[in-house]
Amino acid sequence: MLDKFITPVIKPLLTPVVMLMHKRGITADQLTVVGFLVGLLAVPLLAFEMWYGALVAIALNRILDGLDGALARYANQSSSAGGFLDITLDFLFYAAIPLGFILANPEQNAIAGSLLLATFIGTGSSFLAFAIAAEKFKLEKPQFKYKSFYYLNGLTEGTETIALFIAFCIWPQYFAVMASIFAIACGITIFTRIHGGYHTLKQQEADANKAAENVPSSSNSEVIDD
């Protein structure tokens, strides 16, 4: 929900760092992989209840995630392969953080953490499934034109998820409560994405079929001279 407002603010702040990285020969895909590995460090830190160490790992992951896309655009390295790598590792990172809290306190956090992970699957699958169909119909990306694929909006997006992770680390004793509330918000996102995505694609298919019916076949357009 907040991504479309936060992203334009952050992008200009990344430019000087991106320029320096480009001069050093660093690629966007390298940043993506390094950022993912740094983010995974949060899991053992969370498991051993080193909350602020985990918070640093999460923050670094998100900074590098912002830099990789900016670097790809600056260096004209944007590609479907890079977009695929980025979004795949992002979703793995998102799933890893609740797992860390479950390992830290299974008795208290297991149910809420599992519920959150289940809804993460729903938001992620609805997001990616629509992106595939959007590519088929060549739908425009009005809010995220620089992205390598279509970003379907929702109540819970990247900005809200990272804010949640930060809150988890600051107030870990309230993980179960916050995770449960956010899971409900994710459920709303899943519903709106399925409902909106389904009807959008149905309309696209209807428009495509109508356009096909209005195109005269080659046999009808031929003129036969006697």
Side-chain angles (χ1 to χ4, degrees), residues 222-226:
E222 291 178 354
V223 176
I224 302 176
D225 294 329
D226 292 330

Side-chain angles (χ1 to χ4, degrees), residues 20 36 38 52 55 62 74 78 89-90 116 131 151 168 183 186 209 216:
L20 178 61
F36 173 67
V38 170
Y52 289 103
L55 178 57
R62 291 297 87 197
Y74 179 81
S78 296
L89 297 186
D90 274 353
L116 183 60
Y151 266 56
F168 283 166
C186 286
N209 291 336

Side-chain angles (χ1 to χ4, degrees), residues 8-211:
V9 176
I10 294 177
K11 283 175 63 179
L13 302 177
L14 301 178
T15 301
V17 180
V18 165
M19 293 174 64
L20 178 61
M21 288 183 168
H22 182 58
K23 290 180 180 179
R24 297 291 179 87
I26 299 172
T27 68
D29 289 349
Q30 289 172 344
L31 279 184
T32 299
V33 174
V34 171
F36 173 67
L37 295 176
V38 170
L40 284 188
L41 292 176
V43 177
L45 291 171
L46 290 171
F48 288 102
E49 300 185 3
M50 301 174 68
W51 311 124
Y52 289 103
L55 178 57
V56 171
I58 292 170
L60 288 174
N61 170 274
R62 291 297 87 197
I63 292 171
L64 291 171
D65 182 67
L67 286 170
D68 64 2
L71 178 59
R73 292 184 291 274
Y74 179 81
N76 293 319
Q77 297 172 345
S78 296
S79 66
S80 296
F84 166 76
L85 180 66
D86 181 58
I87 197 63
T88 301
L89 297 186
D90 274 353
F91 278 119
L92 288 173
F93 164 75
Y94 290 148
I97 301 306
L99 176 61
F101 282 93
I102 292 173
L103 294 174
N105 192 336
E107 183 177 348
Q108 178 178 318
N109 297 338
I111 294 177
S114 298
L115 179 63
L116 183 60
L117 285 171
T119 56
F120 275 0
I121 292 174
T123 56
S125 60
S126 59
F127 175 91
L128 295 175
F130 186 85
I132 295 170
E135 180 65 23
K136 173 184 176 182
F137 290 108
K138 304 298 181 183
L139 297 184
E140 294 183 0
K141 300 173 282 188
Q143 296 171 341
F144 301 100
K145 294 183 179 180
Y146 55 89
K147 296 291 187 180
S148 56
F149 51 86
Y150 195 99
Y151 266 56
L152 186 62
N153 291 335
L155 181 62
T156 55
E157 298 176 343
T159 301
E160 292 81 10
T161 304
I162 297 310
L164 176 74
F165 289 172
I166 293 172
F168 283 166
C169 293
I170 296 175
W171 301 289
Q173 67 272 28
Y174 298 115
F175 171 84
V177 174
M178 291 187 288
S180 299
I181 293 173
F182 199 79
I184 294 172
C186 286
I188 296 172
T189 297
I190 295 167
F191 174 80
T192 56
R193 282 180 174 171
I194 292 175
H195 182 271
Y198 176 81
H199 288 286
T200 297
L201 296 176
K202 286 286 286 186
Q203 186 61 52
Q204 290 293 322
E205 290 174 343
D207 292 343
N209 291 336
K210 185 176 181 180

